Amino acid sequence: FSEFGISFTFKSTNANTISVGLLEKDWNESVRQRLQDMFVYVEVEKVGVVCAIGSNMSAPGFLGQAASALAEAKINVLSVAQSTRQTNMQFLVSREDFEEAQRVLHRALCEKR
């Protein structure tokens, strides 16, 4: 991404996948081609990143509570990221679910506390 002077806003990895979120304004065919040159499979979809940010998120079950609230609202979490400092959880959701995901997380994590 530094080749193109862009930064990513989301990153999650596992043994098989690297999920990276870019601002739509930074995406273009040159970036796609470079990624396809480097990786076996590149999938692109428009998504939203909804975050829970706070200082009291290290309580056991907090991440599970957030994920459960999204699941109960029938919002599929495409990817999730949380650092060991536990001050920010990021959920990648379909763009269509973005606004509802914000409301769901606010109700589950802020209004019920």
Side-chain angles (χ1 to χ4, degrees):
F1 299 117
S2 63
E3 280 181 40
F4 295 94
I6 57 177
S7 298
F8 54 85
T9 58
F10 176 94
K11 181 184 77 165
S12 176
T13 64
N14 65 35
N16 302 319
T17 306
I18 302 170
S19 298
V20 179
L22 304 176
L23 295 176
E24 193 168 355
K25 70 177 184 63
D26 292 333
W27 182 253
N28 59 56
E29 284 304 311
S30 296
V31 175
R32 177 197 297 268
Q33 187 57 55
R34 182 69 174 111
L35 290 172
Q36 288 177 326
D37 291 345
M38 296 173 64
F39 299 101
V40 173
Y41 180 74
V42 175
E43 181 178 340
V44 178
E45 57 186 293
K46 293 182 178 183
V47 297
V49 179
V50 62
C51 300
I53 300 170
S55 60
N56 195 17
M57 298 170 68
S58 61
F62 198 84
L63 175 61
Q65 183 181 355
S68 291
L70 292 168
E72 287 171 15
K74 306 286 190 255
I75 296 172
N76 186 35
V77 174
L78 303 172
S79 187
V80 65
Q82 180 179 353
S83 69
T84 56
R85 193 162 168 229
Q86 296 187 4
T87 57
N88 182 3
M89 294 177 205
Q90 298 177 322
F91 297 93
L92 208 63
V93 298
S94 70
R95 180 142 327 150
E96 298 81 39
D97 290 332
F98 176 71
E99 289 182 19
E100 181 62 16
Q102 290 179 60
R103 287 188 285 272
V104 165
L105 286 180
H106 187 270
R107 280 193 301 269
L109 303 177
C110 299
E111 293 177 10
K112 292 184 179 179
R113 296 212 162 252

